[in-house]
Amino acid sequence: TNIISLAGRYEVSAKDTLREKKASLSWDIFDKGYNPKSNHDFIEIEIQSSRQIKVSYWDSITLIKSKVFKGRLKKGYFNFKRRYLIIPAIVTNLYRNRAFRIGLLPDKSLITDYNQVSLGTFYVILPYLDRKKEYAVEFKRIE
């Protein structure tokens, strides 16, 4: 498979027959899902260079989102550049490592592999304030 053969239009939704759930190509590529407006929504892949592809999400005739991705062809798959996200903070710490690749089946259908590892800690800080004021309090004397 060469990179030029990946160019084309593909359906946004696919049914994962092994797990009986729907997979969304827009989530895998853009990290964001879109509500399909019709059954004619599609993803279009255009080749920019040997290391760049342009992926566009179309709602029939309207462009919803488009982005150029970097990567490389390896063993018949276009491997998207890995994405890392690190958020070091007092309240939230997050690390995410994501890998995604696409290839072609013999019938020219798109096949994808998606792998994401996320690790994080979240601290819940509940505010607490206590004030006490005591004036002229009387206590009865015991005899």
Side-chain angles (χ1 to χ4, degrees):
T1 302
N2 61 18
I3 194 166
I4 296 169
S5 61
L6 290 173
R9 295 179 177 184
Y10 302 95
E11 290 184 7
V12 176
S13 299
K15 187 171 183 181
D16 184 350
T17 55
L18 295 175
R19 294 169 203 76
E20 290 297 322
K21 70 176 190 176
K22 286 226 175 210
S24 174
L25 194 54
S26 64
W27 269 107
D28 292 346
I29 293 175
F30 295 115
D31 274 342
K32 184 175 182 177
Y34 298 95
N35 292 328
K37 306 286 185 232
S38 68
N39 292 336
H40 304 292
D41 289 14
F42 62 91
I43 295 284
E44 183 177 32
I45 297 176
E46 300 173 41
I47 308 307
Q48 302 289 306
S49 70
S50 64
R51 293 188 164 258
Q52 290 183 337
I53 63 172
K54 180 180 178 183
V55 181
S56 303
Y57 181 86
W58 290 87
D59 173 13
S60 299
I61 55 170
T62 307
L63 179 65
I64 305 296
K65 177 152 181 125
S66 182
K67 186 173 181 181
V68 175
F69 291 93
K70 294 181 180 178
R72 62 186 174 123
L73 198 65
K74 184 178 178 185
K75 296 183 182 177
Y77 285 90
F78 182 81
N79 294 284
F80 286 71
K81 187 175 179 184
R82 291 187 85 125
R83 291 190 192 170
Y84 300 95
L85 174 66
I86 300 172
I87 301 176
I90 295 173
V91 176
T92 304
N93 296 299
L94 177 65
Y95 169 77
R96 183 176 78 178
N97 182 355
R98 177 180 172 237
F100 181 61
R101 69 182 189 164
I102 58 175
L104 283 180
L105 294 173
D107 67 354
K108 303 295 183 195
S109 295
L110 192 69
I111 185 168
T112 65
D113 293 325
Y114 182 85
N115 182 26
Q116 177 175 299
V117 176
S118 295
L119 175 67
T121 57
F122 301 96
Y123 302 101
V124 177
I125 299 173
L126 299 173
Y128 176 75
L129 177 63
D130 184 22
R131 289 187 183 178
K132 256 188 178 177
K133 293 183 180 181
E134 297 178 344
Y135 297 105
V137 179
E138 291 185 24
F139 295 93
K140 187 175 182 184
R141 181 177 173 178
I142 299 177
E143 293 189 67

